[in-house]
Amino acid sequence: MRILVVEDEPTLARQLVLALGEAGYAAVSADNGEDGHYLGSVEPFDAVVLDLGLPRMDGLTVLGKWRAAGLTVPVLILTARDSWHEKVAGIDAGADDYLTKPFHMEELLARVRALIRRAGGHASAILSCGPVVLDTRAGRVSVDGQPVMLTSHEFRVLAYLMHHQGEVVSRTDLNEHIYAQDYDRDSNTIEVFIGRLRKKLPPGLIETARGLGYRLATPT
Ligand code: CA
């Protein structure tokens, strides 16, 4: 899952990228509205954390432009304290949720998880596929109740597949959604991660759809 953070306060931006990274997301940040708007328009993201007070283009304009262009990515806006009118304007502009500064990082992470879950049509923070259970809150995976140790990239690949259960996910999709930066991308490594996941997870769980990508087998 890739998250775009658009925030001009350097300390807060760093904390956000760090916390999201530790929570298992690939986070990318922009420190002004213009760059944020551009990145959100040309790159795939699973959620956006958008500050409203931004240099070069304010957050409401960024959000309005995205929505006018048909972009449906879930957006969490960050608003100043005591500014209820910003929240109203933000929600009217197409924000999915808001958080008032200052906030606790745990709350931000919970809201981001909820946005991604709802966007994927999942009601719970726990995703399961047969004996495999992935806890998006704790960043843990278990098989038949036994914990399975995954690297952060393996976790991201599995989380993406579990959020898209029953669908064929292409290598390109996985590539675009598990790395923070373009230059990290290499579609051959996706096969490596899939190979390692297959060794750690029950046989037959990750099916190959020849020439198309991968699909989590729905257990019968
Ligand atoms: Ca700001």
Side-chain angles (χ1 to χ4, degrees):
M1 300 281 138
R2 270 178 108 234
I3 316 277
L4 173 62
V5 173
V6 191
E7 169 60 67
D8 59 315
E9 288 168 40
T11 308
L12 180 57
R14 265 198 306 276
Q15 288 169 342
L16 284 165
V17 167
L18 191 69
L20 288 164
E22 282 172 356
Y25 302 107
V28 179
S29 70
D31 65 1
N32 68 80
E34 248 174 49
D35 289 352
H37 171 258
Y38 177 76
L39 277 173
S41 304
V42 301
E43 292 191 16
F45 290 99
D46 299 288
V48 178
V49 177
L50 177 67
D51 185 28
L52 289 189
L54 291 168
R56 287 169 53 190
M57 188 190 292
D58 68 87
L60 278 182
T61 307
V62 171
L63 181 55
K65 279 171 166 266
W66 281 338
R67 294 307 189 223
L71 208 73
T72 57
V73 61
V75 175
L76 169 72
I77 52 170
L78 303 179
T79 66
R81 195 175 2 192
D82 301 329
S83 126
W84 61 269
H85 57 277
E86 271 192 4
K87 290 170 197 158
V88 174
I91 288 163
D92 281 344
D96 299 274
D97 199 359
Y98 63 82
L99 201 51
T100 304
K101 289 180 177 181
F103 52 83
H104 288 283
M105 203 52 84
E106 283 303 313
E107 183 174 5
L108 178 124
L109 292 174
R111 286 174 185 268
V112 166
R113 278 195 299 271
L115 285 182
I116 291 176
R117 215 156 65 211
R118 287 203 294 268
H122 301 282
S124 160
I126 312 273
L127 304 175
S128 61
C129 183
V132 182
V133 174
L134 184 143
D135 184 339
T136 60
R137 286 171 309 193
R140 289 202 194 102
V141 174
S142 64
V143 175
D144 286 323
Q146 296 302 309
V148 177
M149 301 311 285
L150 300 182
T151 65
S152 69
H153 283 98
E154 290 163 8
F155 182 85
R156 288 177 195 176
V157 168
L158 182 63
Y160 195 81
L161 289 172
M162 289 191 84
H163 272 102
H164 295 85
Q165 258 179 72
E167 298 169 31
V168 174
V169 176
S170 72
R171 235 168 258 146
T172 313
D173 276 345
L174 283 170
N175 226 354
E176 285 178 345
H177 286 267
I178 70 160
Y179 294 113
Q181 304 294 345
D182 256 343
Y183 53 74
D184 291 331
R185 283 180 202 146
D186 173 0
S187 59
N188 293 321
T189 59
I190 295 294
E191 288 176 53
V192 175
F193 295 140
I194 293 281
R196 288 197 214 143
L197 281 170
R198 281 181 169 146
K199 285 190 188 132
K200 296 181 180 183
L201 299 171
L205 182 84
I206 303 175
E207 293 178 338
T208 301
R210 205 159 293 281
L212 298 171
Y214 304 100
R215 179 177 43 214
L216 279 198
T218 320
T220 48

XYZ file of all heavy atoms in Angstrom, residues 7-9 51-54 101, ligand 1:
64
model
N 2.578 17.653 3.042
C 2.709 18.400 4.304
C 3.951 19.275 4.212
O 5.023 18.782 3.862
C 2.810 17.396 5.467
C 3.216 17.986 6.802
C 2.237 19.040 7.281
O 1.094 18.693 7.586
O 2.628 20.226 7.323
N 3.807 20.566 4.516
C 4.931 21.484 4.360
C 5.759 21.664 5.626
O 6.846 22.224 5.576
C 4.453 22.854 3.851
C 3.458 23.495 4.792
O 2.544 22.780 5.257
O 3.581 24.697 5.066
N 5.255 21.192 6.772
C 6.072 21.299 7.990
C 7.043 20.125 7.977
O 6.629 18.970 8.111
C 5.199 21.226 9.238
C 4.353 22.466 9.460
C 3.305 22.238 10.540
O 3.621 21.588 11.559
O 2.162 22.685 10.344
N -2.368 17.998 3.982
C -2.492 19.198 4.806
C -3.251 20.233 3.976
O -3.135 20.260 2.752
C -1.076 19.707 5.155
C -1.128 20.876 6.114
O -2.088 20.963 6.904
O -0.193 21.711 6.075
N -4.034 21.084 4.640
C -4.784 22.075 3.859
C -3.978 23.349 3.643
O -4.029 23.963 2.582
C -6.123 22.391 4.529
C -7.161 21.278 4.470
C -8.511 21.779 4.971
C -7.313 20.704 3.064
N -3.201 23.765 4.654
C -2.398 24.978 4.517
C -1.055 24.642 3.883
O -0.157 24.165 4.549
N -0.954 24.855 2.564
C 0.261 24.462 1.831
C 0.742 25.602 0.950
O -0.078 26.349 0.415
C -0.043 23.271 0.911
C -0.336 21.912 1.532
C -0.899 20.974 0.478
C 0.925 21.324 2.162
N -5.040 19.129 13.751
C -3.704 19.235 14.330
C -3.789 19.928 15.686
O -4.579 20.868 15.821
C -2.807 20.085 13.423
C -2.412 19.426 12.137
C -1.525 20.428 11.380
C -1.005 19.859 10.092
N -0.153 20.824 9.392
Ca 0.795 23.559 6.587
